[in-house]
Amino acid sequence: MNASYDQPTYDKLREARTALDTPLFAGLPGDINVSFEFFPPKTDALMAQLWDVVETLGPLQPKFVSVTYGAGGSTRDRTHGTVARIIREARLPAAAHLTCVDASKAEIREVAESYWEAGVRHIVALRGDMGAPGVPFTPHSDGYANAAELVAGLKQIAPFEISVAAYPESHPDSPSSQADIDNLKRKLDAGATRAISQFFFEPETFFRFRDKLAAAGIDAPVLPGILPVSNVAQTRKFAAACGAAIPAWMDGLFEGLDTHPASRQLVAATIAAEFCRRLYAGGVRDFHFYTLNRAELSYAICHLLGLRPKAPALEKAA
């Protein structure tokens, strides 16, 4: 008897299992920690927009929020002002970014001391890039040569909590993935508390990176950086600059949506939520969101992962 006439293919079996599986986000307990990155706004109108974002995401009780620092300190005053306001008015733990670019050790000390005076206790210490794409990093003649030196210098100024960058797909300037891991170890050995990863788009990228870190004896927390795609062209530009690969399947899902912003946002939320759910299934409980000063996608993903805002009234009652 020929039984092959109606035998399902592997793909059909996989689809059948998908149809019967437990819903992807059912029953998640919300046992995650989140942090959010913002950039300092250039105008009062953009500051008002950012403040709406801060007020939307704040009730999720992030472990910290961070504010970026432009190349060569180009946003120094705006970064300082934004971080200070978040600490003072939103009552959120805020971290200020600081880079080595075009700054002497004395200038970095001045910035770090002003942060400390404003109540900043957490710095994201980065080597930084020169600003123009492809231009190699050149240390200031009286500055720090790299992020490891910057971390050590900051620790001499004040007892800051320090986060540094990690690159699951290797930094574009790194000669190899092993050299990249060795550099991360130097930054942690210099006094950094944790690393925050560059964004990536496939969970396996992070899981493989995590295994390499464990093999190298690195056990410090590494937070996966999540970039919900709100602007496809901008994301492609960011990815090209930092060496992050955009999978062909993901690129294809955004094709034809340039003039359909609402549909594009739904697709972006779907992709990013499943991505984070798969990270969660692999044991990840800490997520760092590159918000691009928008709340909707990050908030939706946190909600799907089970995280809920804590009502101020409940806090007071407790």
Side-chain angles (χ1 to χ4, degrees):
M1 180 178 178
N2 185 357
S4 64
Y5 66 93
D6 196 30
Q7 189 167 331
T9 64
Y10 176 79
D11 283 343
K12 286 179 181 177
L13 288 171
R14 185 170 60 180
E15 283 298 295
R17 178 175 176 180
T18 300
L20 298 172
D21 272 347
T22 302
L24 196 59
F25 297 97
L28 291 183
D31 58 337
I32 62 170
N33 297 311
V34 297
S35 51
F36 303 108
E37 180 181 291
F38 309 126
F39 61 83
K42 294 181 179 179
T43 66
D44 289 344
L46 291 174
M47 173 55 87
Q49 177 183 313
L50 171 59
W51 208 249
D52 286 342
V53 173
V54 171
E55 290 182 335
T56 298
L57 297 175
L60 295 178
Q61 296 192 318
K63 285 295 182 181
F64 65 91
V65 301
S66 67
V67 181
T68 61
Y69 191 81
S74 58
T75 66
R76 170 176 165 175
D77 292 339
R78 287 187 282 119
T79 297
H80 184 283
T82 304
V83 172
R85 185 182 177 191
I86 289 172
I87 292 172
R88 184 178 64 251
E89 297 181 30
R91 307 283 182 175
L92 293 174
H97 287 219
L98 189 55
T99 75
C100 303
V101 179
D102 288 340
S104 67
K105 292 178 182 178
E107 289 169 328
I108 286 175
R109 172 175 283 275
E110 180 186 346
V111 173
E113 288 176 346
S114 70
Y115 281 157
W116 188 267
E117 289 172 10
V120 177
R121 297 295 180 263
H122 183 177
I123 287 181
V124 179
L126 309 166
R127 187 202 71 178
D129 297 318
M130 298 304 290
V135 175
F137 173 77
T138 304
H140 187 282
S141 58
D142 190 30
Y144 295 109
N146 52 54
E149 287 189 9
L150 176 59
V151 170
L154 289 171
K155 281 294 188 181
Q156 292 177 357
I157 295 169
F160 287 108
E161 179 180 352
I162 298 178
S163 296
V164 293
Y167 294 86
E169 295 172 275
S170 294
H171 190 283
D173 292 348
S174 182
S176 68
S177 61
Q178 186 57 50
D180 220 28
I181 290 172
D182 292 343
N183 187 45
L184 174 58
K185 192 171 190 309
R186 283 191 291 271
K187 292 186 285 188
L188 294 167
D189 288 345
T193 308
R194 73 178 62 76
I196 302 170
S197 92
Q198 182 57 268
F199 63 83
F200 56 98
F201 295 111
E202 293 190 292
E204 295 84 354
T205 300
F206 186 75
F207 296 145
R208 287 193 294 266
F209 182 59
R210 193 172 60 180
D211 288 347
K212 289 179 182 178
L213 296 183
I218 295 174
D219 58 4
V222 179
L223 280 54
I226 311 300
L227 178 65
V229 181
S230 57
N231 183 315
V232 182
Q234 186 181 49
T235 300
R236 291 187 184 117
K237 182 179 177 182
F238 289 162
C242 71
I246 299 179
W249 64 263
M250 178 177 158
D251 224 9
L253 285 175
F254 284 106
E255 199 171 319
L257 295 179
D258 290 346
T259 57
H260 299 276
S263 296
R264 187 174 67 236
Q265 182 141 319
L266 287 171
V267 170
T270 301
I271 291 172
E274 183 190 11
F275 168 57
C276 290
R277 179 64 179 89
R278 291 174 66 195
L279 287 171
Y280 181 93
V284 173
R285 293 296 181 270
D286 296 272
F287 297 84
H288 183 77
F289 292 90
Y290 297 109
T291 69
L292 302 182
N293 289 10
R294 299 182 65 88
E296 299 89 349
L297 290 174
S298 297
Y299 191 96
I301 295 163
C302 291
H303 183 90
L304 285 166
L305 292 174
L307 192 60
R308 298 292 182 268
K310 189 168 184 179
L314 293 178
E315 285 182 28
K316 290 177 183 176

